[in-house]
Amino acid sequence: MTLDRLLASPHTMLRKVALTPEVLACGLVALGTATATTRNEACTMHQIGSYDLPNACGGALMQPSAWITLRLRPSLLGAAVVAQDEVPTGSRPGAGVRAGALPSLSVFSRDGDLVHRVIVHSDEDAELLFGVGRSRGPSDVQLANVRLSSLGDAGWREGDQLAQLDAVFGEGVRDRHAALTGRGAGAAREVRGAGRVGSSRRVDATLVAAVFEHLGSVGLPVCVGVPSRAVLQLSAGRVHLVERIRTLLVVSLGHGVVELDLAAVRSCLLVTSWGPHGPTSTLEVYDARSECVVVLTQLGIVGPGAHRAWEQMLESLPTA
């Protein structure tokens, strides 16, 4: 879905609003219960709950929990659209329309691509969405506590685990993929030292479903991130259910659901970098365009037993 296509939608009440990243973050955290969706060409994440305060690339990241956790790239965020479907009030021509479902908020990149969508579930939250861009915005104190636009990125070559996570969405993703696989200038397959990429290797991409199934069978918690152009949505917890519907892999994880089109997966990278427990591995899944579509990792303090089991599992994955 692009911004132009949404604005051309029939039977929909639309209002385009220009939001700063800080106003967007404060608006999301004010909602009670919402459905949050981030998708790319191959993978989608849905979560129902309340938003934690979104944070920006280059800044700190609280360990994801039951809250909806977003990592934003403020420089790539564009307009937002508040939409509410309309339904006809009668069958005869010219009978008019009336408001239908509760409204949604669609956030787009500066290039006009949909990067995140919010659907609310109560009249109170609907009023908050209708007030976006109209009512008085966050106070100076609230905005000072967010400061999303002022944060800078750490380069992935010198960065730790969090910097690698920031590097899987936004600009430069394909160049990093080429470097880590040895296909670009200045390949970084073996860069040693604390705070740097320790190693990267290709692993068998056909085993992605098996990794989720194994996590579910042993009860090992995992953090999964689904990136769009300007947003990374994160969900953490145990895998409750894994189901394959032809080429679609559906994973119930923590308080979210991940849907991955296995037919679109072309390669996987196992990237090791410095985390709270020392060297920590992340499984990065890519499509045919060398765009990252989903990541699996251990984020934050997870306990030495879980960290050790995670590393042993990924170490056992065969090289592609």
Side-chain angles (χ1 to χ4, degrees), residues 55-60 146-153:
N55 52 80
C57 294
V146 182
R147 296 179 183 171
L148 294 179
S149 300
S150 62
L151 298 175
D153 269 310

Side-chain angles (χ1 to χ4, degrees), residues 7 73 93 96 121 152 155 159 162 167 190 196 199 212 222 225 237 243 248 263-265 270 272 278 287 289:
L7 293 176
R73 191 169 292 281
H121 299 275
L162 194 52
E190 293 293 336
R196 297 173 177 236
S199 64
F212 278 111
V222 64
E243 184 176 0
L248 183 67
V265 173
L270 191 59
T272 302
D287 63 13
R289 303 172 302 157

Side-chain angles (χ1 to χ4, degrees), residues 167-237:
V168 302
F169 71 112
E171 299 170 326
V173 174
R174 297 179 188 179
D175 291 340
R176 175 179 176 272
H177 180 270
L180 290 174
T181 55
R183 298 205 311 267
R189 297 181 69 184
E190 293 293 336
V191 180
R192 295 294 177 182
R196 297 173 177 236
V197 177
S199 64
S200 66
R201 68 179 176 94
R202 291 174 177 268
V203 297
D204 188 348
T206 65
L207 296 179
V208 173
V211 169
F212 278 111
E213 290 167 349
H214 178 74
L215 290 170
S217 66
V218 300
L220 180 63
V222 64
C223 179
V224 175
V226 173
S228 64
R229 177 70 170 163
V231 174
L232 177 70
Q233 185 169 336
L234 297 158
S235 180

Side-chain angles (χ1 to χ4, degrees), residues 241-296:
L241 177 68
V242 180
E243 184 176 0
R244 298 195 209 194
I245 306 171
R246 292 185 292 276
T247 64
L248 183 67
L249 183 72
V250 181
V251 180
S252 173
L253 164 81
H255 292 79
V257 174
V258 176
E259 300 173 350
L260 175 62
D261 180 6
L262 297 173
V265 173
R266 289 294 181 272
S267 65
C268 290
L269 282 179
L270 191 59
V271 178
T272 302
S273 54
W274 201 261
H277 293 280
T280 303
S281 299
T282 298
L283 185 64
E284 302 176 0
V285 182
Y286 290 83
D287 63 13
R289 303 172 302 157
S290 297
E291 297 278 358
C292 186
V293 297
V294 63
V295 295
L296 292 78

Side-chain angles (χ1 to χ4, degrees), residues 68-101:
I68 298 167
T69 302
L70 299 186
R71 186 87 163 164
L72 307 178
R73 191 169 292 281
S75 63
L76 297 183
L77 288 172
V81 173
V82 178
Q84 184 177 30
D85 289 339
E86 295 176 332
V87 296
T89 57
S91 58
R92 60 183 177 81
V97 294
R98 62 178 174 80

